[in-house]
Every structure is written in structure tokens, then in C-alpha cells.
Amino acid sequence: MSSIYGVILNNDLNKGVAESHGEVTVEALNKLSHSSSAGDLPKNLLPLMKQIMYRGHTISCELH
């Protein structure tokens, strides 16, 4: 089940990155999930990145 969750989450995160038209990258989303590197991210993009992360997590949890 966890592999299915991972595939769905990755697909949704990639969709969110594509919809950001280059403003957000998967690398930036990875940094957002680590407290040691989250502070290095552009503050103006944090709301968008959080929205992408939350949407991916919510969709994946709904399927569980």
C-alpha cells in the first residue's frame, strides 16, 4: 500500500510543480520538508509550495 501512496503523492507533486510554470521545483519541495533547509527557500513561494504539498498529501490520504 505504501508504494501506491508514494506513486500517487509523487504524481500529484509533479502536477503541482508543472502548474507553477517553473516557480517551484521538486527540489524546493524536498527542501520544504526538511527543517534544516526550509529556511533557505524564497519566502514569497512558501504559500504556493505549502499548497502543493498539502494537496498531494490530502489526495493520497483520501485514497488510504
Side-chain angles (χ1 to χ4, degrees):
M1 186 66 167
S2 64
S3 62
I4 294 170
Y5 170 80
V7 168
I8 293 168
L9 178 62
N10 283 334
N11 283 340
D12 202 62
L13 293 179
N14 285 325
K15 181 180 176 186
V17 166
E19 290 173 356
S20 78
H21 305 290
E23 288 189 277
V24 177
T25 63
V26 172
E27 181 182 3
L29 292 176
N30 286 333
K31 286 183 177 183
L32 181 63
S33 64
H34 298 287
S35 61
S36 61
S37 58
D40 299 335
L41 296 167
K43 305 291 184 240
N44 64 317
L45 293 178
L46 287 177
L48 177 58
M49 288 190 284
K50 289 178 180 180
Q51 182 181 28
I52 292 169
M53 292 284 283
Y54 179 76
R55 185 177 66 192
H57 175 73
T58 302
I59 290 171
S60 298
C61 288
E62 288 174 357
L63 296 172
H64 190 307

